[in-house]
Amino acid sequence: MKTIFKSLFAITVLSLVFSSCGNGGSDKKSGALSGSAAEKVYVAPGEHDEFYAFVSGGFSGQLAVYGLPSGRLFKVIPVFSVDAEQAYGFNEETKPMLNTSHGFIPWDDSHHPDISQTAGELDGRYVFINGNNTPRIAKIDLTTFETTEIIEIPNSAGNHSSSFVTENTEYVVAGTRFSVPYPQKDMPIAEYKGNFKGALTFISVDPEDGGMDIKFQIMMPGFNYDLSHPGRGKSHGWFFFTTYNTEEANSLLEVNASQNDKDFIAAINWKKIEEYVNNGGGTKAPTNYAHNVYNDETHTATSTMKDEILIVNPSDVPGAIYFLPTPKSPHGCDVDPSGEYIIGSGKLAAELTAHSFTKMLAAIEGEKFDGEAYGIPILQYEEVLAGAVKQPGLGPLHTEFDGQGNAYTTFFISSEVVKWKLGTWEVVDRKPTYYSVGHLMIPGGNSRKPFGKYVLAMNKITKDRYLPTGPEVTQSAQLYDITGEKMELLLDFPTIGEPHYAAGIPADIIKANSKKFFKLEENKHKYVTKSEADAKVVRDGNQVHIYMTMIRSHFAPDNIEGIQVGDEVFFHVTNLEQDYDVPHGISMIGAQTSELLIMPGQTETFKWYPKNVGVWPFYCTDFCSALHQEMQGYVRVSPKGSSVPITYTLDGDAVDVE
């Protein structure tokens, strides 16, 4: 009987716990359903949000733009995955953006956006984001909110500790999660240890136009490199990467890569390596990778294959790389605004570790080493330790900072955000998340100047937070007010894909620079048509090129005859509008691509392979005016070898070109 009573009591307690968790617990009265919380996230009709939040789409391969505090979705920026709405990867102009050494790859796993900086502060010029699966780094221009450059990372796999920028955007880094043989070769996986390498790639960014170029690649020991952040302020010139699997296991990693009490944070003096490289150091090695660039004047991307890269061996630059022991299987690696503290979040550690940059330099100077790993000195743990947050929570992952001496860390297992003080290491507050939080973001929270008003927590699980949508429930973000001593949950909102990480910035830094339209006179597209009078249809063998314009509310030409089954038909379409927010679309029945959505002043192209005789319509896909429904045309398709000539109509008048 006692056993039965104890069992019933335990079940009752657990039920109460989960019921409280599902309903938001004590946060329900003071959180998202309270009047004050609703007022804090309410953005009145016609008013603008205070912040942009760029939230990665994870396995969607894209980047989403939300407003804070409202949580409203403004735009999905296509980056690594094809996107039918904007014809990205479907039209002829953007297909080269998804080219790689493996061919056309129409998907990737986008994880970590980071905003460009000047003097350690967000400047709002670009967002960089990594492709994790087929290693790539992309750059998004924030005047157009379009992806303008993607560079593939050779000798890498699982491009995870990316893409974080230095204080003046001198470099974007790309660190490999999976070590692989270097150079790649057929070899037994069981011989992993000592034979696999982990590449850390430093990509230079042109200060004028943002153009990217791989400057050098450091070939590190074969650990897993998880996350990274740059030094700032006093630690400018350094970069810090977490490592795990220092055991160099290759199977059942949840057991075999968790044996060591401490793994490492790798401290990289990139200034020293840069000097070495600029003086002729490093070894040029053959490779193969794609560099894809979109040109705003031609409205067209090009893909260039590169065949060489500069490799740096750590042993060739003594004093440039050190290992900081960090318990245990560290994931997050975060640097506070002053650059003094390097926070290592050991997923399996009982404490949250803070290293001191000042103590690190002293330990290096005093040669306070505890051995070495593959020739890289290991600094003594106690010599570099600044302090530890005791019993902070379960499963620490990521930390950001509010600029007021406080740090905020996510805890995946205990599903919470914990606020603690730098220097004293005391926990100030903790708030639950719903549920299993990964990254968090404070606008500017990984820069010298955080805007410490909100924390955005990105959760892997929601369970009961939203209406069910089949076997998978939406993932989500939660917004907390951090202006007081205690955090307050304000808002839940669903996200696209997996909200892996985010970068936030005050809207005022970006919105004034937003491009309104593309000037038609500056359009240098190979097939641009700058006036209706220049519209035409040209046959070249079995290829037909249609030089078409669109403007409210018609196409020119709008009726086309003389197309034959088996032709390869190119629609080169120019939007003649020169006004803000007047895109037009076009789609063709049977086209095996997508519609085009063309911004004012732009030219885009899609291919159509007519397979059936008949008269087939095309139309505008973007509701552009009261006469949108009238914006249409026809293509007559005749049998192969037909004598029907190419003709078309302009402003209702027939034009015979044959």
Side-chain angles (χ1 to χ4, degrees):
M1 181 65 76
K2 287 183 179 180
T3 302
I4 294 173
F5 176 79
K6 287 179 180 178
S7 299
L8 289 172
F9 179 77
I11 292 170
T12 303
V13 170
L14 285 172
S15 299
L16 289 171
V17 169
F18 282 109
S19 174
S20 173
C21 184
N23 291 325
S26 61
D27 274 323
K28 190 164 184 178
K29 293 182 179 178
S30 61
L33 299 182
S34 69
S36 62
E39 290 168 4
K40 288 179 180 179
V41 300
Y42 178 69
V43 178
E47 297 296 321
H48 289 181
D49 280 277
E50 185 177 358
F51 295 95
Y52 287 103
F54 298 92
V55 182
S56 72
F59 43 69
S60 79
Q62 314 295 39
L63 182 65
V65 186
Y66 295 86
L68 297 181
S70 72
R72 298 179 294 192
L73 175 63
F74 297 146
K75 185 180 180 70
V76 176
I77 302 173
V79 185
F80 297 114
S81 297
V82 294
D83 181 87
E85 178 185 353
Q86 297 172 68
Y88 183 83
F90 287 104
N91 63 28
E92 296 305 299
E93 288 76 11
T94 58
K95 283 180 181 177
M97 294 298 287
L98 299 176
N99 189 41
T100 75
S101 61
H102 306 277
F104 181 80
I105 303 294
W107 171 86
D108 215 312
D109 188 12
S110 59
H111 275 210
H112 304 122
D114 203 16
I115 299 171
S116 56
Q117 298 184 15
T118 300
E121 297 184 14
L122 305 182
D123 60 26
R125 298 177 68 197
Y126 312 111
V127 172
F128 301 90
I129 189 167
N130 60 320
N132 194 36
N133 183 67
T134 304
R136 290 173 275 183
I137 297 290
K139 182 186 72 193
I140 294 93
D141 187 328
L142 291 181
T143 65
T144 60
F145 284 66
E146 292 181 351
T147 303
T148 57
E149 192 168 5
I150 297 178
I151 192 165
E152 187 182 2
I153 312 300
N155 305 319
S156 184
N159 176 41
H160 193 250
S161 54
S162 317
S163 52
F164 300 102
V165 303
T166 54
E167 285 199 296
N168 289 295
T169 320
E170 298 99 334
Y171 293 100
V172 178
V173 300
T176 188
R177 173 180 166 190
F178 308 110
S179 289
V180 292
Y182 173 75
Q184 274 285 15
K185 57 186 174 183
D186 178 13
M187 64 171 291
I189 298 172
E191 296 178 12
Y192 176 118
K193 191 168 186 176
N195 292 311
F196 284 34
K197 299 293 183 184
L200 305 181
T201 307
F202 282 69
I203 303 165
S204 63
V205 181
D206 188 283
E208 296 301 320
D209 63 12
M212 298 191 294
D213 188 42
I214 295 178
K215 178 80 169 182
F216 56 85
Q217 192 169 68
I218 309 170
M219 209 52 67
M220 296 285 286
F223 309 147
N224 291 52
Y225 296 84
D226 206 357
L227 273 169
S228 56
H229 269 101
R232 52 183 56 97
K234 62 175 66 179
S235 54
H236 178 73
W238 290 78
F239 226 104
F240 303 93
F241 296 79
T242 49
T243 74
Y244 67 99
N245 191 25
T246 52
E247 299 86 350
E248 296 181 82
N250 61 73
S251 178
L252 203 65
L253 260 63
E254 71 267 30
V255 175
N256 295 323
S258 304
Q259 301 299 309
N260 294 338
D261 289 335
K262 294 181 178 67
D263 294 280
F264 302 127
I265 287 177
I268 311 286
N269 187 333
W270 61 261
K271 280 281 192 182
K272 193 177 186 74
I273 296 175
E274 179 186 64
E275 181 182 12
Y276 167 77
V277 166
N278 289 343
N279 288 327
T283 302
K284 291 182 179 179
T287 188
N288 190 32
Y289 67 96
H291 188 182
N292 311 325
V293 180
Y294 181 86
N295 186 300
D296 262 349
E297 292 184 335
T298 64
H299 306 294
T300 302
T302 56
S303 180
T304 305
M305 296 305 298
K306 302 290 186 73
D307 60 7
E308 192 175 69
I309 193 168
L310 189 68
I311 302 294
V312 174
N313 187 325
S315 62
D316 292 336
V317 196
I321 303 175
Y322 298 91
F323 284 138
L324 283 62
T326 305
K328 178 179 185 186
S329 295
H331 181 57
C333 180
D334 304 283
V335 181
D336 84 299
S338 73
E340 170 62 16
Y341 300 119
I342 304 110
I343 312 302
S345 300
K347 297 191 295 284
L348 305 177
E351 300 177 349
L352 196 62
T353 303
H355 296 300
S356 163
F357 179 72
T358 302
K359 294 180 72 173
M360 184 192 87
L361 291 184
I364 293 170
E365 179 69 22
E367 299 185 353
K368 305 288 187 177
F369 303 141
D370 192 10
E372 52 85 26
Y374 294 100
I376 297 173
I378 301 170
L379 297 170
Q380 293 178 9
Y381 178 67
E382 294 296 336
E383 293 295 327
V384 297
L385 182 67
V389 183
K390 305 290 186 183
Q391 298 181 328
L394 299 177
L397 292 183
H398 303 285
T399 301
E400 291 215 347
F401 310 90
D402 63 7
Q404 306 298 316
N406 301 304
Y408 301 76
T409 301
T410 53
F411 290 82
F412 180 82
I413 296 173
S414 53
S415 290
E416 58 185 334
V417 174
V418 175
K419 176 182 178 180
W420 51 276
K421 282 199 171 296
L422 291 162
T424 67
W425 323 117
E426 60 181 316
V427 171
V428 176
D429 189 25
R430 60 179 73 238
K431 282 289 183 291
T433 60
Y434 305 101
Y435 307 93
S436 297
V437 61
H439 278 273
L440 80 168
M441 181 273 288
I442 294 172
N446 63 347
S447 72
R448 281 201 206 186
K449 184 182 178 182
F451 301 88
K453 190 169 185 178
Y454 301 112
V455 155
L456 188 70
M458 285 151 277
N459 305 330
K460 309 298 186 184
I461 300 168
T462 55
K463 295 301 184 190
D464 55 359
R465 303 296 284 185
Y466 301 106
L467 290 171
T469 51
E472 183 190 26
V473 182
T474 182
Q475 298 186 28
S476 76
Q478 292 187 297
L479 187 70
Y480 295 80
D481 183 333
I482 59 171
T483 55
E485 184 178 3
K486 301 295 183 181
M487 296 177 282
E488 181 185 8
L489 175 61
L490 300 179
L491 181 69
D492 292 13
F493 60 92
T495 60
I496 65 161
E498 179 199 2
H500 195 86
Y501 185 48
I505 186 171
D508 289 343
I509 297 177
I510 291 178
K511 65 181 183 181
N513 299 322
S514 186
K515 186 181 285 289
K516 305 300 183 186
F517 57 87
F518 296 91
K519 293 181 180 179
L520 198 56
E521 64 269 22
E522 296 176 358
N523 185 331
K524 297 180 181 178
H525 192 287
K526 182 179 180 180
Y527 296 104
V528 63
T529 306
K530 294 187 178 181
S531 71
E532 288 188 5
D534 296 325
K536 58 187 177 181
V537 182
V538 178
R539 176 178 285 282
D540 181 11
N542 74 327
Q543 286 190 350
V544 178
H545 293 267
I546 301 172
Y547 296 75
M548 180 177 285
T549 65
M550 46 175 34
I551 197 167
R552 287 166 288 186
S553 293
H554 64 275
F555 296 99
D558 58 359
N559 289 321
I560 301 166
E561 301 188 22
I563 306 299
Q564 300 179 16
V565 170
D567 281 343
E568 183 180 28
V569 182
F570 293 84
F571 284 78
H572 309 293
V573 189
T574 302
N575 183 346
L576 297 181
E577 305 283 0
Q578 292 290 269
D579 198 3
Y580 181 40
D581 193 30
V582 192
H584 290 292
I586 182 172
S587 68
M588 183 71 218
I589 189 169
Q592 294 174 308
T593 53
S594 74
E595 57 111 31
L596 299 183
L597 185 64
I598 309 173
M599 298 302 113
Q602 275 193 319
T603 302
E604 294 187 14
T605 300
F606 74 92
K607 279 194 223 180
W608 179 53
Y609 297 93
K611 297 180 179 179
N612 298 294
V613 168
V615 178
W616 308 104
F618 58 88
Y619 66 100
C620 179
T621 54
D622 187 271
F623 209 103
C624 53
S625 72
L627 297 175
H628 166 73
Q629 292 292 93
E630 284 71 25
M631 194 167 174
Q632 68 170 61
Y634 287 101
V635 177
R636 175 186 172 186
V637 178
S638 300
K640 184 69 176 176
S642 169
S643 60
V644 175
I646 291 284
T647 62
Y648 54 90
T649 56
L650 285 178
D651 294 329
D653 296 326
V655 178
D656 187 347
V657 298
E658 294 186 354

